[in-house]
């Protein structure tokens, strides 16, 4: 029995033999049966992309200017520079990915003073 298990581990059987067919059957069973019983964690994220469009403009070869709707950027009560950058990056990630660096940002408001959109300057 030890020799058979060692031969299975090192895959020493010839193609077309009984033991070769058993190994291939076990591998195929693992591939097709285990996803029903085992959570591999490969589901898409529950949140899709942004609900409102993000506008992307070029900055004359220096980088990009993104206009992100204010509703897409959740801002905590106590805001620091670091948390603001994280919130902006999280809102822009579906469009830009992770490989961007934020240089600066500013908030545009409507006539009543309500926040409209964040204008973010960034580069890759």
């Amino acid at each position: 029995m030890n020799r058979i298990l060692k031969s299975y581990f090192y895959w020493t059987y010839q193609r077309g033999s009984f033991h070769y067919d058993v190994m291939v059957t076990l591998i195929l069973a693992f591939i097709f049966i285990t996803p029903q019983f085992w959570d591999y964690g490969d589901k898409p994220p529950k949140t899709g992309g942004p609900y409102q469009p993000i506008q992307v403009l070029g900055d004359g070869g220096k980088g990009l200017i993104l206009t992100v709707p204010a509703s897409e950027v959740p801002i905590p009560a106590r805001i620091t520079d670091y948390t603001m950058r994280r919130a902006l990056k999280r809102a822009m990630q579906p469009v830009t990915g992770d490989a961007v660096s934020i240089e600066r940002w500013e908030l545009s408001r409507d006539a009543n003073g309500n926040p409209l959109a964040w204008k973010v300057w960034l580069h890759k």
Side-chain angles (χ1 to χ4, degrees):
M1 186 66 171
N2 188 21
R3 195 184 88 205
I4 292 174
L5 291 176
K6 192 174 181 182
S7 297
Y8 273 38
F9 182 77
Y10 290 111
W11 198 274
T12 58
Y13 290 105
Q14 293 293 322
R15 186 178 220 178
S17 67
F18 173 76
H19 292 287
Y20 184 92
D21 292 342
V22 169
M23 290 188 296
V24 171
T25 304
L26 290 174
I27 291 170
L28 290 174
F30 178 81
I31 291 171
F32 291 111
I33 294 174
T34 59
Q36 297 171 8
F37 302 108
W38 194 341
D39 181 20
Y40 289 106
D42 59 348
K43 294 175 178 56
K46 295 201 185 302
T47 59
Y51 296 112
Q52 297 177 0
I54 294 177
Q55 184 181 15
V56 181
L57 299 171
D59 192 16
K62 299 175 188 171
L64 298 172
I65 302 173
L66 268 72
T67 305
V68 181
S71 61
E72 295 292 328
V73 184
I75 301 173
R78 294 187 63 205
I79 189 78
T80 63
D81 193 42
Y82 174 74
T83 55
M84 188 64 206
R85 284 182 191 273
R86 279 186 49 196
L88 286 170
K89 270 193 162 185
R90 196 172 303 124
M92 296 182 310
Q93 189 174 14
V95 175
T96 61
D98 289 333
V100 293
S101 176
I102 297 175
E103 292 179 14
R104 63 186 174 105
W105 59 87
E106 71 181 38
L107 179 62
S108 62
R109 298 180 179 271
D110 64 5
N112 296 330
N114 298 322
L116 281 177
W118 289 95
K119 195 171 187 181
V120 183
W121 286 263
L122 52 93
H123 64 273
K124 289 191 176 201

